[in-house]
Each structure stands twice: as structure tokens, then as C-alpha cells.
């Protein structure tokens, strides 16, 4: 007999659905350091899977990475961006980003196209596009 406070336990999903994979499964860490030329900065972005919550276990690879210093309009990518995946963590760097009044106060964005991940159930999936936004690191 139930008093309305207790419910039957729900069934746990055995496999991860690709529709459940999104930017909320990823953590982002951004740092800026002074660049080689005056008035420029080197931007480092690290993207990893959430340990506790989320469906992604690790990152395997990515096709294209774009770093933008604004989220509105049609922004141009910031500098030359390179990326590397090591032990399930995606590292992105952009060298020689010029500091301007607008990119100091704006919200930045990183766009990952063709992100290949391993989910916690062991399957490999490719996410067509993932966007993460963050406050300006400058």
C-alpha cells in the first residue's frame, strides 16, 4: 500500500542516446597569459568531461575548433587556434590575441565541430557541434 510519498524506482538507461550528449556534459577552464608582443595574450582553453554528472567519459578527438571573442553577429575566429587531445582532455590554444575594448568585456565562445567522445557506457559517439560560452579571460 502506498501513501503517495514513495514511488517505484525508475529504470536506468543501459545505453546513452546521442541526443543526450551536449555542452552540459563538459567542463571548461580558460586562462590568459601575456603574449610575446605588447598588447597581445595567449589564450588556453581546456575542455574535459564532468566526473560525477554527465554522460561523457572522455574526449577522443575533434575535427575543427574555433575560438570567438563575441557571441553575437558574425564573429571572426580569434587568432590561430590549435588543439590537441591528451588522456581524454581537449586542450585548445590561441597565440597572439590582440586585446581590444570589446573583447575584454564580451562573452567568448568556443565551437567544437565533430567532437568524438566515449560515453560512460563505453560507446563512441560523434557530436556534430558543441558550443561553450565563458566570460572574457582578458
Amino acid at each position: 500500500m502506498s501513501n503517495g510519498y514513495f514511488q517505484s524506482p525508475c529504470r536506468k538507461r543501459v545505453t546513452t542516446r546521442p541526443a543526450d550528449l551536449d555542452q552540459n556534459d563538459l567542463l571548461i577552464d580558460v586562462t590568459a597569459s601575456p603574449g610575446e608582443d605588447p598588447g597581445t595574450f595567449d589564450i588556453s582553453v581546456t575542455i574535459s568531461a564532468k566526473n560525477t554528472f554527465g554522460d561523457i567519459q572522455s574526449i577522443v578527438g575533434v575535427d575543427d575548433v574555433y575560438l570567438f571573442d563575441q557571441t553575437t553577429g558574425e564573429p571572426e575566429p580569434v587568432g590561430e587556434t590549435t588543439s590537441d587531445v591528451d588522456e581524454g582532455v581537449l586542450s585548445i590554444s590561441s597565440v597572439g590575441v590582440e586585446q581590444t575594448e570589446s573583447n575584454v568585456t564580451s562573452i567568448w565562445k568556443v565551437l567544437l565541430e565533430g567532437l568524438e567522445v566515449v560515453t560512460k557506457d563505453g560507446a563512441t559517439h560523434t557530436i556534430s557541434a558543441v558550443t561553450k560560452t565563458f566570460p572574457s579571460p582578458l
Side-chain angles (χ1 to χ4, degrees):
M1 182 182 265
S2 173
N3 62 7
Y5 289 103
F6 300 101
Q7 299 176 356
S8 19
C10 63
R11 291 185 207 157
K12 185 175 179 180
R13 251 184 304 141
V14 178
T15 60
T16 302
R17 301 175 295 191
D20 293 330
L21 302 173
D22 60 17
Q23 72 273 8
N24 295 322
D25 294 317
L26 301 169
L27 295 173
I28 189 167
D29 183 40
V30 182
T31 57
S33 59
E36 212 172 279
D37 297 328
T40 64
F41 288 86
D42 299 339
I43 310 296
S44 298
V45 180
T46 305
I47 297 180
S48 59
K50 287 184 178 177
N51 291 334
T52 310
F53 299 104
D55 295 310
I56 296 175
Q57 180 71 36
S58 64
I59 298 171
V60 178
V62 65
D63 290 339
D64 292 311
V65 175
Y66 302 99
L67 184 63
F68 301 99
D69 63 359
Q70 59 183 352
T71 58
T72 58
E74 295 182 23
E76 290 291 319
V78 174
E80 288 293 319
T81 303
T82 59
S83 64
D84 182 41
V85 177
D86 187 32
E87 296 185 19
V89 176
L90 174 63
S91 299
I92 304 163
S93 62
S94 190
V95 178
V97 176
E98 196 171 324
Q99 180 178 358
T100 64
E101 185 178 335
S102 64
N103 71 8
V104 170
T105 59
S106 64
I107 299 294
W108 287 44
K109 141 176 109 170
V110 62
L111 171 63
L112 311 171
E113 292 183 344
L115 183 66
E116 189 176 353
V117 298
V118 174
T119 56
K120 291 185 177 171
D121 62 6
T124 302
H125 296 276
T126 300
I127 307 170
S128 60
V130 175
T131 301
K132 290 288 283 183
T133 58
F134 52 92
S136 173
L138 302 180

